Amino acid sequence: TQPDLATPYSNGLRKLTVNNTYDHNAANEKKWSQRAITYDDKRQDYFRFMQRQLIVSAEIKPPATFLDLGCGTGWAVRHVATLLGEQGRFVGIDISKGMIEKARSNSTGVPNVEFYEASADKLPLDNDLFDAVICSNSFHHYLQPVEALKEVKRVLKPNGRVHILDITADDFFIRQINQIIKGQEREHVSFYGTPEYARMFSKAGLKHVQSRRLKSLYPLKVHVAKKEQEYTD
C-alpha cells in the first residue's frame, strides 16, 4: 500500500511585506508565474532535451513514486508517468502558482499525476514516500539549499535517490558568470561546484553517489545522492 500524501498547502510561501522588504520566495513566485504563460513555447525544447537526459540517467523503474522539484508546467512529471506506463505516483512541486495551475491544466486526464504549490524547503508531503526525486535547472534559485536537501531526504524512501541537474561551477569561467548573474538577478542564489554539492549532501544526511556530465550538456552536471538505509538492533 502506498503511503498517502499529506494535505497540500501553499501558506509556506512568504509574502512581500508592506515596507517593500525583499522576499526571495515571493520574488521567485512572481517571476515564474509570469513566465508560465509562455513556458511551453517551442524555445523550451532545449530544456526538454536536458530533462530527457536526466530522466534516462536516473534509471527509474516501474512501479515508482517520483517527485520533480521545480516542476514548472509539469512536463517531466507527465513524461516519467508515460515512460513507466502510469505505474506509480508522479508528483510535481513548484513555488509558482502560475506554473502549478498550468501543470494541472496540461495534465487533465493523466492518471496518477499530482501537483502542489510549495517551497522546496517546506514540502507538503509525507515521510519516506519517493523512490526518485529530480531537480532540473532550479536548484540555483533555492535560498536554503541544505534545508531543501533535508526535505528531500525526509520524503525519500530508504535507498531512494535524488538527481540534481544544474550548471556546475567547476571552472573559473562559470564561477565568473555566477558572480555576474548574482549581481544582475536577485532571484539567482548560486551555481555550485561539485565539492559544494558533496558538502551540502553530507550536511543534509545524504550520501553523495556521483557527479558527472551528461552528453552535450556542458556546463551542466547531474549530482546524485542517496538516502541510506538505517538499521536498528
Side-chain angles (χ1 to χ4, degrees), residues 22-74:
Y22 178 76
D23 184 291
H24 182 83
N25 281 11
N28 266 296
E29 196 285 325
K30 180 180 179 180
K31 172 181 178 177
W32 293 105
S33 285
Q34 290 172 341
R35 292 192 180 183
I37 299 169
T38 58
Y39 198 72
D40 292 325
D41 289 355
K42 185 74 174 176
R43 61 184 175 177
Q44 297 299 328
D45 283 357
Y46 183 61
F47 289 99
R48 304 296 177 243
F49 170 74
M50 290 188 289
Q51 288 177 311
R52 284 189 182 94
Q53 289 211 39
L54 174 62
I55 290 164
V56 169
S57 75
E59 299 182 336
I60 306 165
K61 307 296 183 185
T65 44
F66 167 83
L67 172 64
D68 183 8
L69 285 182
C71 67
T73 56

Side-chain angles (χ1 to χ4, degrees), residues 43-113:
R43 61 184 175 177
Q44 297 299 328
D45 283 357
Y46 183 61
F47 289 99
R48 304 296 177 243
F49 170 74
M50 290 188 289
Q51 288 177 311
R52 284 189 182 94
Q53 289 211 39
L54 174 62
I55 290 164
V56 169
S57 75
E59 299 182 336
I60 306 165
K61 307 296 183 185
T65 44
F66 167 83
L67 172 64
D68 183 8
L69 285 182
C71 67
T73 56
W75 181 88
V77 178
R78 294 186 297 275
H79 183 64
V80 173
T82 299
L83 287 177
L84 272 58
E86 297 162 355
Q87 297 179 57
R89 302 179 75 173
F90 310 97
V91 181
I93 291 285
D94 202 282
I95 201 170
S96 162
K97 180 179 180 180
M99 289 291 189
I100 290 300
E101 288 177 347
K102 194 80 176 288
R104 288 171 177 162
S105 175
N106 289 348
S107 304
T108 301
V110 181
N112 303 329
V113 169

